[in-house]
Amino acid sequence: MAEAETTAEAETTAEATGGRGAQLERSGLRHGWTTGACATAATTAAYTALLGAEFPDPVTIELPKGQRPAFALAAEELTADRAMAAVVKDAGDDPDVTHGALVRATVRVLPPGSGVVFRAGPGVGTVTRPGLPLDVGEPAINPVPRQMMRDHIGSVAARHGGTGDVEIEISVDHGEEIARSTWNPRLGILGGLSILGTTGIVVPYSCSAWIDSIRRGVDVARAAGRTHVAGCTGSTSEKVAVAVHGLPQDALLDMGDFAGAVLKYLRRHPVDRLTVAGGFAKLSKLAAGHLDLHSSRSQVDKGFLAELARRGGADEELAEAVATANTGLETVQLCTARGVPLGDLVAAAARDTALGVLRGAPVAVDVICIDRTGTIVGRADPRGPRAR
């Protein structure tokens, strides 16, 4: 018994001092709630009122990992056949475009045996392309939030004598406008936002949502039959990839700084060809072996660039100028003026890093390096198992 207690205590201590929760605690940042948690809270309050009780305010829900947050109601409305409750999304200290959005749930009673039916109200999108965890035509309310709402509908029904057969319409005020700042239009989610969340909690500055969106982008491209995708560090490199290769929107991956996430997911879910397109400085980091290209987690290695320049024919004077240059872009400008193809060398090294991460997966890789204006300053032709 003593050994078991010691093990349990150790696990509890590890959980408290490690992982995302510990990162949040050390950062001093305030966590927030997902749109899925807000929708569940609003649904719970609305159905409670529809069954004859008062709107609970605040309304408490249980999240998938057992936390029990309470949400204040921002609006409520009750008629003979429906109830609506609304919650303002609080994303904590996360720079979330949905922070402050008003999430509404309108609940209507359905005939016994109907189950729980979900509808997309104003500001919530509808799935129009395959490759997502929802069927085409379904409201963009993800599986975990759906299950949370079903569970809470069942609990309210048990407490207040309902059957649990309801229609839940989720809407988000100004959601269609907000969605233009998200990946939804590219993923084929039209008309508004997605109702998201796997834990119900938003961890500030977490990269998990971006990485998840990269994975969903690959899934959508594969489901659409795309054999060539482009991982781009920003909108300018995206435009260049489209101009060079004529790729459709659903073949473009907003890679941002997460080159490793793209490569590791394609290793398990390959397509024939990947174009990596980005600014010279960021791709010089990939060339040097970095898979996270964010400025706070990796830096341009001018010494590495100087060595590449030497391989490309630079004399020591030029190599020294590269090593002491102010920016990564300056290094390529110096070399271009002297006829040294540093951009191409960086592109080739970035391609080699990518192929190393892919570990023989059947994906050919080419690389395009650009400057801030979108001018191509380096190219590496496709190489890998599917290269033609």
Side-chain angles (χ1 to χ4, degrees):
M1 176 66 82
E3 183 179 355
E5 289 174 351
T6 301
T7 301
E9 182 180 354
E11 290 173 351
T12 302
T13 301
E15 190 172 45
T17 59
R20 296 170 68 199
Q23 179 185 355
L24 177 60
E25 184 178 347
R26 288 192 298 270
S27 72
L29 298 171
R30 187 171 62 87
H31 67 253
W33 311 110
T34 63
T35 47
C38 295
T40 300
T43 295
T44 301
Y47 191 40
T48 300
L50 192 58
L51 293 183
E54 294 289 326
F55 281 96
D57 190 7
V59 55
T60 299
I61 63 170
E62 183 170 340
L63 300 180
K65 293 188 177 181
Q67 303 96 329
R68 294 183 57 80
F71 297 79
L73 297 185
E76 56 187 56
E77 183 180 307
L78 180 64
T79 66
D81 66 342
R82 67 180 181 86
M84 183 279 296
V87 169
V88 174
K89 177 176 173 176
D90 179 1
D93 289 326
D94 193 67
D96 190 323
V97 294
T98 61
H99 177 70
L102 190 67
V103 181
R104 300 176 184 265
T106 301
V107 180
R108 300 176 179 86
V109 172
L110 296 178
S114 299
V116 177
V117 177
F118 294 96
R119 303 288 183 207
V124 170
T126 298
V127 177
T128 67
R129 294 179 190 164
L132 296 169
L134 299 167
D135 292 335
V136 171
E138 282 290 311
I141 303 170
N142 270 21
V144 171
R146 287 182 185 228
Q147 190 58 51
M148 288 171 62
M149 284 182 261
R150 289 192 192 97
D151 291 344
H152 284 77
I153 286 291
S155 297
V156 172
R159 287 198 303 271
H160 298 287
T163 66
D165 300 288
V166 296
E167 176 191 271
I168 304 171
E169 179 184 286
I170 303 299
S171 59
V172 180
D173 288 17
H174 310 294
E176 187 166 5
E177 178 183 346
I178 298 169
R180 296 190 189 109
S181 300
T182 73
W183 264 50
N184 279 15
R186 180 169 299 165
L187 294 176
I189 299 171
L190 303 182
L193 293 164
S194 300
I195 303 302
L196 303 172
T198 55
T199 65
I201 297 174
V202 174
V203 177
Y205 307 104
S206 168
C207 64
S208 60
W210 197 326
I211 290 174
D212 186 62
S213 72
I214 288 171
R215 294 168 178 166
R216 298 292 77 77
V218 172
D219 292 344
V220 167
R222 283 165 50 90
R226 306 302 178 198
T227 59
H228 184 179
V229 300
C232 306
T233 60
S235 59
T236 303
S237 57
E238 194 171 87
K239 291 175 184 175
V240 172
V242 170
V244 171
H245 293 300
L247 296 173
Q249 286 293 302
D250 59 5
L252 302 176
L253 307 174
D254 189 358
M255 177 175 75
D257 295 313
F258 302 108
V262 171
L263 296 166
K264 291 171 186 176
Y265 198 68
L266 286 175
R267 187 169 69 206
R268 302 190 302 274
H269 307 277
V271 296
D272 288 354
R273 183 168 174 183
L274 166 68
T275 295
V276 177
F280 173 83
K282 282 191 182 292
L283 294 192
S284 75
K285 298 178 187 180
L286 180 63
H290 297 288
L291 302 183
D292 184 339
L293 311 182
H294 193 276
S295 59
S296 68
R297 295 182 288 272
S298 60
Q299 300 296 320
V300 174
D301 186 340
K302 311 268 182 37
F304 169 75
L305 293 178
E307 182 54 36
L308 281 184
R310 289 187 184 93
R311 295 179 201 171
D315 58 23
E316 281 307 307
E317 180 186 359
L318 178 56
E320 181 61 25
V322 168
T324 58
N326 189 40
T327 65
L329 192 54
E330 184 184 356
T331 67
V332 77
Q333 291 169 340
L334 289 168
C335 287
T336 299
R338 299 278 291 274
V340 175
L342 182 60
D344 292 342
L345 294 166
V346 164
R351 179 190 60 196
D352 291 345
T353 296
L355 290 170
V357 176
L358 287 167
R359 297 180 188 170
V363 181
V365 180
D366 69 284
V367 176
I368 303 173
C369 296
I370 63 170
D371 65 15
R372 291 181 180 177
T373 69
T375 300
I376 296 174
V377 297
R379 294 280 298 270
D381 291 336
R383 184 170 293 177
R386 294 291 179 92
R388 296 186 180 89

